[in-house]
Amino acid sequence: MSASESSAQVAGLLHRYLVSLDDERLDDAWTAGLFTEDAVVAFPVSRHEGADGMAEYHRSALSAFAATQHLGSPAVVDVDGDRAVFRANLISTHVHHPRHTPPEGDLPPLFATGTFVNGEARRTARGWRLSLLAFRLLWADGSPPPAR
């Protein structure tokens, strides 16, 4: 497999991850198709380590919102053998549950963020998988949901 084919596969993993957050079933099959067993996902407010519990971690975080939309830029990927590093930009729009917006609550309907995404991937026996996703907040508009 050429470096450009590997690069495209790694970029595809990131894009599949982002799209899947918005409307797909996040379960163990989802985790196995995207992540290594020792994967780390690190957001500014929390992190998860390991494939075990990865889907539940994401489902729990996303349940704070009525809906989300994650729009990622094309990833810049550098492949070195069986490892790759990448970077992309991300704009995430989060729709608050009605209980948090007027007339019941006092939050604006949307919470949007601009984020840098840095990551790593490894070639495994099952193909390329994400081993690290690290999100760094650049800007935010609106308010996050109240703590549970």
Side-chain angles (χ1 to χ4, degrees):
M1 175 179 302
S2 73
S4 64
E5 290 171 321
S6 293
S7 178
Q9 287 185 7
V10 170
L13 284 171
L14 175 63
H15 299 306
R16 198 164 80 233
Y17 167 80
L18 294 173
V19 169
S20 69
L21 295 177
D22 299 326
D23 70 348
E24 292 184 20
R25 184 173 176 197
L26 307 184
D27 56 17
D28 290 340
W30 172 82
T31 300
L34 289 172
F35 295 101
T36 61
E37 286 297 316
D38 61 347
V40 173
V41 175
F43 290 97
V45 296
S46 68
R47 68 185 277 131
H48 182 83
E49 297 183 24
D52 189 39
M54 185 70 77
E56 174 55 32
Y57 168 77
H58 282 82
R59 284 193 310 266
S60 178
L62 292 167
S63 72
F65 302 100
T68 61
Q69 186 175 44
H70 296 82
L71 302 173
S73 72
V76 176
V77 181
D78 291 313
V79 176
D80 184 12
D82 290 339
R83 296 193 169 282
V85 296
F86 58 87
R87 179 170 187 266
N89 295 313
L90 172 63
I91 295 177
S92 302
T93 303
H94 310 81
V95 180
H96 285 299
H97 289 288
R99 68 182 177 271
H100 298 306
T101 63
E104 296 177 51
D106 56 359
L107 295 180
L110 301 178
F111 172 55
T113 59
T115 310
F116 294 131
V117 181
N118 290 292
E120 298 176 10
R122 286 198 312 263
R123 190 186 330 254
T124 72
R126 299 173 299 144
W128 284 98
R129 295 295 185 269
L130 301 169
S131 55
L132 171 67
L133 287 174
F135 298 84
R136 184 167 53 99
L137 184 66
L138 178 61
W139 59 265
D141 185 28
S143 299
R148 296 185 220 182

